[in-house]
Amino acid sequence: GQQLNQSPQSMFIQEGEDVSMNCTSSSIFNTWLWYKQDPGEGPVLLIALYKAGELTSNGRLTAQFGITRKDSFLNISASIPSDVGIYFCAGQNSGGSNYKLTFGKGTLLTVNP
Amino acid sequence: GAGVSQSPSNKVTEKGKDVELRCDPISGHTALYWYRQSLGQGLEFLIYFQGNSAPDKSGLPSDRFSAERTGGSVSTLTIQRTQQEDSAVYLCASSPGPGDTDTQYFGPGTRLTVL
């Protein structure tokens, strides 16, 4: 099946620093999604990307849908302690099984105050 | 409004026992999904329900796993004769239904531990 490679696996940064994480796929997706998961909670959608080349911002978060449709990145600017959590990318295809999300393994972000 | 709820939040069971996990989707959402999250892994798709259509069971790892959705709302995921490798967080999600921007909203999950 489709595989998503998400990197880095973990990051330790100082408060105020910017952070970047990315996902690459062996095949094309029509939609890229970025989720954040806090301990004991389900993933919460941060940003959804629907068009190749699209660059979308949500506050301090910026994500881009790669032109090849096989990759996406997420940037967080001026990190704060509450940014701590696991960030997941997910790819989705249109068509008969467009509901299925394929997830990366996550990036664990730790922010030192 | 109320989000997706799941129960129990934690379940510890002995190997070989059956377990039932419950999901209450967001009211009005026609689509419901079950995922499994193992330690250090991403989410693995298990099963999908959409309205009255036949569910997509293609992600269920074995015939010990089954799920049903009664009345187009509440869903139950059943694992029979549990094994230690079944230990994971089981997440439920719901969405409004088919469409270009059909966002999935996740519940808090049920953490299953099989001893």
Side-chain angles (χ1 to χ4, degrees), chain B residues 40-41 80 86 88 91 108 115:
Chain B
Q41 301 294 315
Q80 295 177 308
D86 298 336
L91 289 157
L115 302 177

Side-chain angles (χ1 to χ4, degrees), chain A residues 35 37 40-43 45 50 88 99-101 103-105, chain B residues 33 37 41-43 45 48 56 58 101 103-104 106-108:
Chain A
Y35 285 85
Q37 186 176 29
E41 301 291 330
L45 182 66
Y50 301 105
F88 290 100
Y99 45 84
K100 289 185 182 179
L101 295 178
F103 282 84
K105 293 186 178 182
Chain B
Y33 318 75
Q37 184 177 25
Q41 301 294 315
L43 281 70
F45 168 80
Y48 162 71
D56 178 351
S58 60
T101 59
T103 300
Q104 296 182 25
F106 285 83

Side-chain angles (χ1 to χ4, degrees), chain A:
Chain A
Q2 292 175 309
Q3 300 279 333
L4 284 189
N5 296 309
Q6 185 171 350
S7 63
Q9 276 189 311
S10 61
M11 301 184 73
F12 298 84
I13 63 172
Q14 294 296 125
E15 182 177 359
E17 290 183 352
D18 298 344
V19 61
S20 183
M21 58 193 78
N22 70 83
C23 268
T24 59
S25 170
S26 57
S27 55
I28 289 171
F29 287 106
N30 293 326
T31 300
W32 281 93
L33 307 163
W34 285 92
Y35 285 85
K36 182 192 178 198
Q37 186 176 29
D38 292 326
E41 301 291 330
V44 173
L45 182 66
L46 298 175
I47 291 182
L49 302 157
Y50 301 105
K51 189 175 177 182
E54 179 181 358
L55 183 71
T56 297
S57 293
N58 179 7
R60 294 179 295 105
L61 307 178
T62 302
Q64 183 157 32
F65 190 150
I67 288 291
T68 65
R69 297 181 179 268
K70 292 184 178 181
D71 63 299
S72 176
F73 71 75
L74 174 70
N75 288 342
I76 305 173
S77 63
S79 59
I80 59 178
S82 62
D83 290 335
V84 166
I86 304 176
Y87 292 79
F88 290 100
C89 61
Q92 189 176 35
N93 281 323
S94 59
S97 61
N98 69 340
Y99 45 84
K100 289 185 182 179
L101 295 178
T102 302
F103 282 84
K105 293 186 178 182
T107 295
L108 174 61
L109 178 64
T110 302
V111 179
N112 296 316

